[in-house]
Amino acid sequence: MASGTLTKASTSTRSRQGRVGPRRRHNAAGAGLMAPFVILYALFLLVPTAYGVVLSFFDTGLASAGVGTFVGLANYLEAFSSDQFWLALWHTLWFTVLTSPPLVLLALAAAIMANRVSRGTWFLRLAFFAPYVLPSSVLALIWIWLYTPDLGLIGDWLGRVGLPAPSWLGDPNWAMISIAMATVWGHLGFNFVLYLAGLQEIPHEIYESASIDGASSWQQIIHITIPMLGRTTTLVAVLQVIGSLKVFDQVFLMTAGGPNFATRTAMQFIYDYGFTNFRVGYASATSMVLFLIVLAVSVVWFTLVRRQERGV
């Protein structure tokens, strides 16, 4: 009896060892496949980020060798006491307010329209997504031409109906609004595709049941489409806010922060001090502040997603 028990135990041990062998080989293969990505991720993101954190505590300059003199929190204190830095953050927040709601709402409306039409769906998808594939330089050139006084197309349209055209990019009160309109036109396509993918995941049977019960198209959108796109809306909104907080290229190309620094954002402030004034340490400190703001937005997104998942 004891020998039979020992035989069964040894057989069970060998079977577990046999399963462990393939599992270890499988884990090793997975680690090998992930290794190139992990190495590149560390080299081009983790290491530069850590180096930027280190530089933020030094008086580092491009015109001098080495990391410079250790100054502790002096760069951060200078940033928080700088009116120009706070003004750049305000411009960034104002740009985010101008662009994020339209890019979420218009993308949702465009996706619903493209998903519901019976003919010409391919044309609507192409029309809404095509501007997104344009390089930022091309987008800036198009809208600079549209905004050009006496020559631009928008000024001509307003003149035909008897309305005066403002100095779109030359007036501090209109410059950021003008950049925001160009940004909405150029970046609508990405959010449009995300919403379109979310609409494809909604079962068609739900709409058929609602239609049989007498629900109109508008009622179906309000009570079915929008609630079932909740997770997609959260994702689109957070990605859009993060992208707007990091805006640089279209502002730099269209106004270079002008007129009179009226459109200088946080990213351009960092660029100016790091590569124009050669104060890399101070620019690193301000970039860390912006990083913490973006990180806070990301944490809020993860919290909202987890609450939605628990509510399902």
Side-chain angles (χ1 to χ4, degrees), residues 136-146 254:
S136 298
S137 56
V138 176
L139 187 148
L141 287 174
I142 291 173
W143 282 88
I144 288 174
W145 173 73
L146 291 174
M254 295 181 71

Side-chain angles (χ1 to χ4, degrees), residues 86-150:
W86 285 110
L87 186 61
L89 285 178
W90 162 246
H91 292 158
T92 305
L93 179 61
W94 178 229
F95 177 84
T96 303
V97 171
L98 289 173
T99 56
S100 295
L103 280 170
V104 174
L105 298 177
L106 292 178
L108 175 60
I112 293 175
M113 181 176 64
N115 191 59
R116 281 184 166 265
V117 296
S118 57
R119 296 181 180 181
T121 304
W122 67 269
F123 176 77
L124 290 176
R125 294 183 180 185
L126 176 64
F128 287 125
F129 185 72
Y132 181 72
V133 303
L134 295 176
S136 298
S137 56
V138 176
L139 187 148
L141 287 174
I142 291 173
W143 282 88
I144 288 174
W145 173 73
L146 291 174
Y147 289 142
T148 301
D150 302 326

Side-chain angles (χ1 to χ4, degrees), residues 12-188:
S12 176
T13 302
R14 285 196 299 269
S15 62
R16 286 197 301 269
Q17 291 176 350
R19 290 195 299 267
V20 169
R23 186 180 303 171
R24 289 179 177 176
R25 290 194 296 269
H26 179 74
N27 293 337
L33 292 173
M34 290 180 59
F37 169 78
V38 173
I39 293 173
L40 293 176
Y41 186 81
L43 288 177
F44 292 99
L45 186 64
L46 297 181
V47 174
T49 301
Y51 188 58
V53 173
V54 173
L55 291 181
S56 66
F57 297 103
F58 289 82
D59 187 18
T60 308
L62 287 179
S64 58
V67 295
T69 307
F70 179 77
V71 294
L73 297 176
N75 289 327
Y76 291 93
L77 295 176
E78 181 181 353
F80 286 120
S81 61
S82 172
D83 294 337
Q84 293 183 359
F85 178 64
W86 285 110
L87 186 61
L89 285 178
W90 162 246
H91 292 158
T92 305
L93 179 61
W94 178 229
F95 177 84
T96 303
V97 171
L98 289 173
T99 56
S100 295
L103 280 170
V104 174
L105 298 177
L106 292 178
L108 175 60
I112 293 175
M113 181 176 64
N115 191 59
R116 281 184 166 265
V117 296
S118 57
R119 296 181 180 181
T121 304
W122 67 269
F123 176 77
L124 290 176
R125 294 183 180 185
L126 176 64
F128 287 125
F129 185 72
Y132 181 72
V133 303
L134 295 176
S136 298
S137 56
V138 176
L139 187 148
L141 287 174
I142 291 173
W143 282 88
I144 288 174
W145 173 73
L146 291 174
Y147 289 142
T148 301
D150 302 326
L151 297 175
L153 190 61
I154 297 179
D156 180 68
W157 287 348
L158 292 177
R160 291 176 184 271
V161 296
L163 296 176
S167 179
W168 298 102
L169 299 177
D171 187 346
N173 296 321
W174 280 96
M176 188 62 82
I177 298 175
S178 303
I179 297 173
M181 289 191 296
T183 302
V184 170
W185 179 81
H187 292 77
L188 183 69

